[in-house]
Structures are given as C-alpha cells and as structure tokens.
Amino acid sequence: VQTLCLAQLALLEIERDNWAAATTLTRRARDLQRVHKIEHFAGQGTAMAISSLLAARRGDGPEARSEALLARRLLAHQRELAPWLEAEALIVLARSAVVLGDTAMALGYLADATTAAAQLPDAPVLHTYLEDTWALARDTEPTMPAGATPLTTSELRVLQYLPSHLALKEIAQRCFVSPNTVKTQVQSVYRK
C-alpha cells in the first residue's frame, strides 16, 4: 500500500510540474519494492510506469523501456485488482512513450487504457487524464518504421474509440462524421 501511495503522490507532483519531488517519491517506492521483494506483485506496476516516465524525461531510453516492460507485465494482473490502476499505469506508459518519441507505442498503450477506463464510467479525473494523453499523442510527430504510413488526425481520433464498446455509428456521432467515413477510417487504420 505504501508503494502505491508514494506512486500516487509522485503523479500529483508531476501534475504540479515538480519533477524532482516526483523522482524522490518514485525512488522511495521502487526501493521499498526491492527491499520487500514485491516488485512482481500485482498493484506495483504504477510505480514502475512512473519510473519509466521519469527515465524517459531525463533521456535514459534504455531504462525507460526496461521499466515500461516490467510495468506492462504486471498490468495484466492488476486488471482484477483495480481497473483504475491498470488504466492509470497505461496512461503513464503512453506519456513515457511520447517522451521517447515512440508514438506508435503510445497509441497502443492508450488503446489499452481506453479499454480499461471503459469499465470506470464514474472516474472523471481518470477520463480527463486519458483524453489529455490522447491529445498529447496526437500532437506528437509520429515516428514510423521505414515504409510505414502514419495515421492521419482523423484516423487517430477514430482509433481512440476502437477498443471501446461503441458501434461504428456511435463513433461517427462522437466524431461528427458519417458512419461510412468512420468505416473507411477504421479500414485504413487496420491496413496501416
């Protein structure tokens, strides 16, 4: 519980743009995980995700990716524990991927976070955090493998709804376009 509380405090410090305090809190959480040998327990992925974001922010790509991989492995176990923990950690991992310039990875995390957050209709702060991160990922210049075609802004807008329970007609209503346009954009997303 203490590591989870430290992770939540670190997220609050990040929101306040106090990265030094966030780093201190996250180090304390990660140290506790190591000392008590709980780093592989469900519920511990959030601290690892934050550690990934902090490493990405200071330019340490290998450590950021390593922490992200550890966090991702734990998230499947967090789903039963608390869906909001999973969604929150996925959002943090998406932000880490954005900082690393890996837009494709960020979009993957965000798609999974959207699925997890769909179980939590009464979590407006989490949904705002998710929407803000989708906007951040959309505003970031995508990095693509050689020969790959980047997604358009319209395709990115539709992509965020694909892991949800919404039908194409409902997605079209939310995007203010016709169902045929959404169908074409979905086909294009899957092709790319």
Side-chain angles (χ1 to χ4, degrees):
V1 171
Q2 188 175 4
T3 59
L4 180 58
C5 291
L6 288 167
Q8 295 304 310
L9 289 171
L11 282 175
L12 289 171
E13 293 299 338
I14 288 169
E15 287 300 310
R16 293 183 185 124
D17 204 27
N18 188 350
W19 293 88
T23 299
T24 300
L25 290 162
T26 303
R27 281 189 185 141
R28 285 179 51 200
R30 293 292 281 131
D31 288 346
L32 281 171
Q33 287 174 333
R34 289 182 195 98
V35 167
H36 297 289
K37 297 178 177 35
I38 59 171
E39 55 222 319
H40 299 293
F41 285 22
Q44 299 302 312
T46 303
M48 292 174 188
I50 297 167
S51 183
S52 172
L53 175 58
L54 294 170
R57 189 166 188 281
R58 68 175 181 271
D60 190 345
E63 182 179 343
R65 286 180 181 85
S66 175
E67 290 289 286
L69 183 61
L70 289 172
R72 191 67 177 115
R73 286 182 185 156
L74 291 178
L75 294 183
H77 304 294
Q78 285 185 194
R79 188 170 296 131
E80 291 80 33
L81 180 66
W84 68 268
L85 279 177
E86 179 190 18
E88 179 182 64
L90 286 164
I91 294 167
V92 173
L93 288 174
R95 287 181 175 242
S96 178
V98 166
V99 172
L100 291 172
D102 192 342
T103 307
M105 182 65 73
L107 295 175
Y109 286 137
L110 286 170
D112 292 344
T114 300
T115 300
Q119 301 173 45
L120 306 161
D122 296 331
V125 173
L126 180 71
H127 287 278
T128 300
Y129 191 39
L130 178 59
E131 291 167 15
D132 291 348
T133 306
W134 270 106
L136 180 67
R138 280 192 298 265
D139 293 344
T140 302
E141 188 66 33
T143 54
M144 303 296 292
T149 307
L151 297 176
T152 66
T153 302
S154 299
E155 290 164 348
L156 287 171
R157 186 174 44 249
V158 168
L159 176 64
Q160 70 180 322
Y161 294 110
L162 292 182
S164 70
H165 64 283
L166 298 174
L168 292 182
K169 183 178 179 181
E170 295 167 312
I171 294 172
Q173 290 171 343
R174 289 186 181 205
C175 294
F176 303 105
V177 295
S178 75
N180 285 335
T181 300
V182 170
K183 183 178 178 183
T184 301
Q185 290 169 344
V186 167
Q187 289 171 340
S188 180
V189 166
Y190 283 121
R191 184 180 68 250
K192 290 178 180 179

